[in-house]
Amino acid sequence: MIFVEDLKKEYCDDEVKTIALDNVSFNVDKGEFVAIMGPSGSGKSTLMHIMGFLDRPSFGAYKFEGQSIEDLSDDELAYIRNEKMGFVFQFFNLLPRTNVLDNVKLPLIYTKISEKEKQERTKRAIESVGLSHRLKHYPNQLSGGEQQRVAIARAIVNNPSVIFADEPTGNLDSKSGQQVMEILQNLNDKGRTIILVTHEQYTSEMAKRIIKLSDGQIVEDAQVVDRKIAKNGLVK
């Protein structure tokens, strides 16, 4: 599904060159649950942004489902991103004056499906994260954990090929973070590809594979031997 070869990302500011990614190479197969781990400044978020078509590499090759990013215009990237990718961020990124139902429905705005189907898909996604009783609530009426669950529902409403989760538990207490990871694990168990960016060792060990970055380079890429299995996930 994902092919990365000799990927490099450079930023230039006042003639000062900063290398965020330095010749990174790896593949991700459909259905994998991969954690990209590293300290602040290691390049993990930059890598996720490139994989999620939110940025372009300076050098190297990146292919998503066999399609090279170099061959696509910005409009084409945006279309694939909306159709094939779901995103979950640390700070939820919900619209504050929009209720749960309409926040989750956002990715469906430009699709050609009927309004009835949009409503049905949205309600199914919200139900899958256990928040059917919060449809008309606004973000400021929800806990942090509930807001992140809304963000996950929004990420899956379009039935994407892959979900990118950037520090999804970083702004949550341990119990809420556990609930979020349970949902991600259950999505993966049902065949969804998950790319998780985290600096937390415990969270990364709930994935099936860990790629560790340091100073923009891969220093380790290994399967998780003693995977921490979450229980009682909400996704059905």
Side-chain angles (χ1 to χ4, degrees):
M1 172 178 282
I2 289 174
F3 172 83
V4 175
E5 185 175 38
D6 297 330
L7 206 67
K8 193 168 186 176
K9 182 64 180 180
E10 297 179 348
Y11 296 99
C12 293
D13 184 20
D14 295 329
E15 300 183 356
V16 176
K17 183 186 294 184
T18 301
I19 299 176
L21 294 172
D22 190 10
N23 296 320
V24 170
S25 299
F26 63 93
N27 296 330
V28 176
D29 294 330
K30 183 178 179 180
E32 281 201 84
F33 189 162
V34 181
I36 299 174
M37 190 180 179
S40 178
S42 62
K44 59 187 186 296
S45 289
T46 299
L47 178 58
M48 193 208 76
H49 288 163
I50 291 173
M51 288 193 294
F53 293 174
L54 298 171
D55 199 358
R56 290 180 183 264
S58 303
F59 306 98
Y62 171 43
K63 294 181 180 179
F64 178 78
E65 294 187 337
Q67 181 73 59
S68 173
I69 192 172
E70 293 181 357
D71 300 334
L72 301 170
S73 67
D74 288 345
D75 286 344
E76 288 170 327
L77 291 178
Y79 176 80
I80 295 175
R81 186 168 58 242
N82 189 59
E83 290 289 313
K84 301 274 190 174
M85 300 173 177
F87 296 88
V88 182
F89 297 100
Q90 179 176 352
F91 294 104
F92 321 136
N93 291 355
L94 302 178
L95 298 181
R97 298 181 180 179
T98 303
N99 64 30
V100 167
L101 184 71
D102 290 334
N103 260 293
V104 174
K105 194 193 296 183
L106 279 174
L108 301 176
I109 288 178
Y110 298 109
T111 61
K112 296 180 180 180
I113 63 176
S114 68
E115 184 60 31
K116 179 181 178 182
E117 177 65 17
K118 289 178 183 178
Q119 288 286 110
E120 290 176 354
R121 283 196 194 182
T122 300
K123 288 180 179 179
R124 284 199 300 268
I126 294 169
E127 181 182 7
S128 75
V129 297
L131 290 176
S132 294
H133 60 301
R134 295 281 195 260
L135 291 180
K136 298 300 181 180
H137 284 63
Y138 291 84
N140 65 0
Q141 298 173 311
L142 305 175
S143 68
E146 287 174 328
Q147 289 185 62
Q148 193 61 292
R149 284 153 61 187
V150 172
I152 293 174
R154 182 182 58 192
I156 65 174
V157 73
N158 233 3
N159 193 30
S161 300
V162 59
I163 295 173
F164 294 100
D166 191 358
E167 301 282 6
T169 63
N171 204 34
L172 303 176
D173 59 60
S174 58
K175 181 179 179 180
S176 297
Q178 175 75 8
Q179 288 181 323
V180 165
M181 291 307 301
E182 287 174 0
I183 291 171
L184 293 177
Q185 279 193 331
N186 275 270
L187 287 168
N188 177 247
D189 290 343
K190 295 183 179 299
R192 195 89 60 172
T193 306
I194 310 287
I195 308 293
L196 168 72
V197 168
T198 183
H199 67 277
E200 300 170 337
Q201 183 68 34
Y202 181 86
T203 301
S204 70
E205 290 173 354
M206 296 175 79
K208 295 177 180 176
R209 173 184 170 196
I210 300 175
I211 297 174
K212 292 185 178 180
L213 293 180
S214 179
D215 297 326
Q217 296 182 321
I218 293 178
V219 295
E220 185 179 340
D221 183 350
Q223 299 295 317
V224 178
V225 177
D226 297 316
R227 186 190 186 204
K228 298 185 185 302
I229 305 297
K231 303 296 183 182
N232 302 318
L234 294 167
V235 176
K236 298 180 180 179

